[in-house]
Amino acid sequence: MGEELKVIVFGLAHEEYGIEVDKVRTIERLSPITRVPKTPSFIKGVINLRGIVVPVIDLRGRFGLGETEPTENSRIIVVAAGELEVGFIVDAANDVIDIDTDTIDSPPEIVGGIKAKYLRGIARLGDSRLLIMLNLSEVLNKNEIIQLEQLEV
């Protein structure tokens, strides 16, 4: 048996994704987002989170899954990307689970329309449940991190 990995499970376009708990700072309800001009369309703007300006990215838009209107279940998952905190808009944040690292397979080329470079792997949970593990360093590539750092006002 491999190591246990604690992950937060969240929903996006009818799929379940996972992100390591130790990368997550907080999960918030959707709050008003201040638009920032001249940014890619998936960068929704910034929020003020307890006195810290946090850039917000719509993960549906980032992955080209087609953006939808937020619902009562929509959440912002704030993650640490180096020194920077970034919020991801997701359809729902479901729960926290432990997964065995031995159950994580390399990702196929495309999963649910998302390129493999954004994925760390696919975790098998039981017989029929799959959890798509995000590769945060690719979701936020270096150029985007630089762009997001410049958003801080």
Side-chain angles (χ1 to χ4, degrees):
M1 221 169 121
E3 294 177 43
E4 287 281 301
L5 188 63
K6 198 174 268 316
V7 298
I8 290 180
V9 178
F10 65 90
L12 201 62
H14 309 294
E15 301 286 346
E16 284 189 307
Y17 293 81
I19 195 165
E20 294 95 333
V21 165
D22 62 0
K23 304 251 192 313
V24 175
R25 293 283 188 254
T26 180
I27 299 174
E28 304 287 331
R29 289 187 175 274
L30 237 47
S31 56
I33 298 172
T34 304
R35 251 331 265 149
V36 177
K38 297 187 178 149
T39 56
S41 63
F42 61 84
I43 298 177
K44 291 298 162 197
V46 294
I47 58 171
N48 180 346
L49 189 61
R50 294 180 273 288
I52 299 169
V53 175
V54 177
V56 177
I57 290 176
D58 187 326
L59 273 189
R60 279 175 165 264
R62 177 68 180 103
F63 295 150
L65 297 176
E67 296 176 28
T68 60
E69 286 299 310
T71 68
E72 181 66 28
N73 295 326
S74 298
R75 295 289 181 267
I76 297 175
I77 298 178
V78 179
V79 299
E83 296 294 304
L84 181 67
E85 290 188 359
V86 179
F88 292 141
I89 298 175
V90 300
D91 295 346
N94 302 330
D95 58 21
V96 177
I97 60 171
D98 291 315
I99 57 174
D100 184 338
T101 53
D102 287 349
T103 66
I104 301 175
D105 296 327
S106 296
E109 283 305 301
I110 291 189
V111 177
I114 299 175
K115 295 183 183 75
K117 73 174 188 174
Y118 298 130
L119 309 177
R120 172 179 169 185
I122 307 291
R124 297 179 314 273
L125 308 175
D127 291 335
S128 60
R129 191 173 171 203
L130 295 176
L131 186 64
I132 303 166
M133 300 294 296
L134 285 189
N135 178 349
L136 265 189
S137 60
E138 283 299 330
V139 172
L140 293 169
N141 68 35
K142 298 257 184 296
N143 293 338
E144 285 165 1
I145 289 175
I146 290 166
Q147 236 184 331
L148 292 173
E149 285 171 340
Q150 292 168 347
L151 293 183
E152 294 187 35
V153 274

